[in-house]
Amino acid sequence: MLSAIILAAGKGTRMKSELPKVLHPVAGKAMVAHVIDAARGAGAAQIVVVYGHGGELLPERLRVDGTDLTFARQEVLNGTAKAVEAALPALRGECRDVLILCGDTPLVDQELLREFFEQHRQQGSVVSILSAQIDQPGSYGRIVRDGQGRVSGIVEARDATVGQRAINEVNSGIYAVQRSFLAEALPAVGSDNAQGEYYLPDIVSIAVARGLPVEALVTGDFTKTLGVNSRAELAQAGQLLYERTCRRLMDEGVSILDPRSTYIETDVQVGVDTVIYPNVYLEKGTRVGRNCLIRQGCTLIASSLGDGCTLKDGCYLEEASVGAHSSLGPYAHLRPQSVLAEEVKIGNFVEIKKATVGARSKASHLTYIGDATVGCDVNIGCGTITCNYDGFDKHVTVLEDGVFVGSDTQLVAPVRVGRNAMVAAGTTVTRDVPAESLVISRNEQKVVEGWATRFRRQKQKK
Ligand code: UD1
Ligand code: CA
């Protein structure tokens, strides 16, 4: 059985934030949540998250995420070795090897972890480190190798000599360790270093000193192990994640005009032959069907689009569902619980909330539909308003199949307009309307002939 320990107790001083570093969102999800997903995807049956800074906030935020999560509190934040030590009692009995990850490397993915862990098992090392070659090793720990190229230890940047600092092979902070060795080695880790902390990487030199096998697997893709310590690295990680998702979708047959300005979260699905324009945000598990066109500036949050839909510029959808071959916008707003059937047309400056709209119905301009049930083949004229709120409660409007609503209509809920009825333009509907009828509420029109001419003359004389 594979258990994973995720180190997430640190404050993240360089972020200059009230929020614990690993809770900062990257591409829509807390940094540490990406790491949890990768560990889970790699087959970890148990995941122990070590928390500390920020108190119970971290377990509170993450607990909803799954039953395979266990939390271990690190009381004193005195180094990564102590963080792992805090997690040991939580490990299940049958766990033989432990995958150790940092909560601040949101770009790791399950393939990399699986490959790394597989290699660790095959080589039978007591400690395996995932390392990376980078041009600017900065604050990463350096992998020190002996004359034969065997790993002899890891030295932190702050403790490194000038010569060691020039080493380009760095520690990603991802390890696979035999549990029995881990339990023996951790108490042997000291704190005689620049930060006075107990460094987890020291278990490597401990293993080497005991003549135990240690391996470093060099990853080909350094971006996957990027550690986020600052806001600049947070932005960089976000961009890389969005880029990766765009690449996956393009490989699957989605057209993205400008991947650099398209923000699609990792758990979003998009069907083939859909075309996405710039400045589009697809978030929180949004699903887009095949053959859709999403023009610039649209945001979809936890929403779904059927096949063949068109979203013109600037649409905003939240927890909404849109049937196939519908057309929205420009500038349409679908709020939570908006459910549109097929071939619906929603035009500019139309807001819909908690409403179902039947097939082929249309609201083309300047309209508010809230708390409503709209049937099929309903035409809603320009400037129609469902008056759903009396200051205390929300009330429902029902427009049955085939209803025609003229422009500038107010529907004062609760109210029902029966099948195929027609609402004359400018009407305020306050009572239910029977099927097949006309409803009209208007002052009778009065015409005073010649009045305008007389009025102008009078004014011009002055
Ligand atoms: C660490 C490694 C470094 C490696 C780098 C990779 C150590 C000493 N150094 O450096 O070799 O190149 O990661 O990104 O391990 N944490 C705790 N408790 C603590 C301290 C830290 O849980 O007492 C957690 C942090 O929340 C973080 C992770 O451990 O998620 C790494 O800590 P951080 O301070 O970011 O270490 P680095 O300096 O980046
Ligand atoms: Ca770090």
Side-chain angles (χ1 to χ4, degrees), residues 7-11 14 21-22 50 74 76-80 83 102-105 139-141 154 156 170-173 175 195 197 199-201 225 227 229:
L7 309 184
K11 178 172 192 288
R14 288 165 277 180
K21 176 172 75 174
V22 298
V50 183
Q74 184 187 3
V76 188
L77 304 181
N78 50 356
T80 43
C102 293
D104 65 350
T105 56
S139 65
Y140 288 100
I154 299 176
E156 289 306 299
V170 301
N171 171 22
S172 68
Y175 318 78
Q195 296 190 88
E197 285 188 359
Y199 290 164
L200 178 61
T225 57
N229 300 303

Side-chain angles (χ1 to χ4, degrees), residues 133 210 266 272 352 417:
Q133 288 283 352
R210 294 183 189 178
T266 46
V272 298
I352 300 184
V417 180

Side-chain angles (χ1 to χ4, degrees), residues 52-346:
H53 178 76
E56 298 303 310
L57 190 62
L58 195 109
E60 273 163 24
R61 292 265 182 101
L62 297 177
R63 198 154 265 139
V64 287
D65 195 51
T67 49
D68 53 352
L69 289 185
T70 312
F71 295 90
R73 187 168 180 144
Q74 184 187 3
E75 298 295 343
V76 188
L77 304 181
N78 50 356
T80 43
K82 291 291 177 192
V84 174
E85 220 168 76
L88 288 184
L91 291 178
R92 282 201 216 141
E94 60 271 39
C95 150
R96 219 168 54 82
D97 288 276
V98 191
L99 192 59
I100 302 175
L101 309 164
C102 293
D104 65 350
T105 56
L107 285 131
V108 289
D109 63 18
Q110 56 183 70
E111 287 79 24
L112 177 66
L113 294 182
R114 209 177 286 136
E115 188 192 335
F116 170 61
F117 194 71
E118 199 48 46
Q119 211 147 323
H120 164 75
R121 281 237 167 111
Q122 277 172 8
Q123 286 166 338
S125 10
V126 293
V127 185
S128 300
I129 316 146
L130 186 68
S131 69
Q133 288 283 352
I134 60 172
D135 293 340
Q136 292 180 332
S139 65
Y140 288 100
R142 310 295 199 267
I143 307 288
V144 182
R145 291 180 184 264
D146 66 14
Q148 275 88 51
R150 289 175 307 212
V151 177
S152 57
I154 299 176
V155 58
E156 289 306 299
R158 296 189 212 216
D159 301 294
T161 61
V162 176
Q164 288 169 331
R165 225 170 278 179
I167 297 172
N168 289 105
E169 188 187 355
V170 301
N171 171 22
S172 68
I174 297 170
Y175 318 78
V177 191
Q178 281 179 13
R179 182 196 190 164
S180 51
F181 170 73
L182 194 59
E184 281 168 34
L186 286 174
V189 172
S191 61
D192 182 17
N193 52 52
Q195 296 190 88
E197 285 188 359
Y198 296 86
Y199 290 164
L200 178 61
D202 285 359
I203 62 170
V204 173
S205 53
I206 292 172
V208 172
R210 294 183 189 178
L212 298 169
V214 173
E215 286 295 336
L217 169 72
V218 190
T219 149
D221 184 357
F222 141 72
T223 61
K224 288 190 179 179
T225 57
L226 183 85
V228 174
N229 300 303
S230 64
R231 304 267 182 173
E233 285 164 349
L234 185 71
Q236 190 191 1
Q239 265 160 11
L240 287 165
L241 267 173
Y242 287 129
E243 198 179 293
R244 189 193 284 175
T245 306
C246 281
R247 183 158 297 271
R248 165 175 68 82
L249 291 172
M250 291 189 289
D251 287 345
E252 289 170 12
V254 176
S255 280
I256 297 176
L257 267 56
D258 182 11
R260 284 164 307 176
S261 64
T262 306
Y263 306 90
I264 304 179
E265 293 178 1
T266 46
D267 54 359
V268 166
Q269 290 173 23
V270 184
V272 298
D273 288 324
T274 284
V275 178
I276 301 174
Y277 279 45
N279 287 318
V280 166
Y281 293 76
L282 304 180
E283 303 178 357
K284 304 254 173 301
T286 285
R287 281 152 192 264
V288 176
R290 300 163 159 250
N291 263 308
C292 292
L293 172 63
I294 304 180
R295 293 186 58 104
Q296 69 128 334
C298 291
T299 297
L300 279 73
I301 304 166
S303 294
S304 71
L305 282 189
D307 295 341
C309 288
T310 297
L311 263 57
K312 294 176 188 166
D313 302 23
C315 292
Y316 187 89
L317 280 65
E318 191 170 0
E319 292 169 40
S321 147
V322 178
H325 305 290
S326 294
S327 162
L328 268 61
Y331 311 107
H333 184 186
L334 266 51
R335 291 169 51 202
Q337 299 179 55
S338 295
V339 179
L340 278 47
E342 310 79 60
E343 294 177 57
V344 165
K345 181 173 185 290
I346 301 298

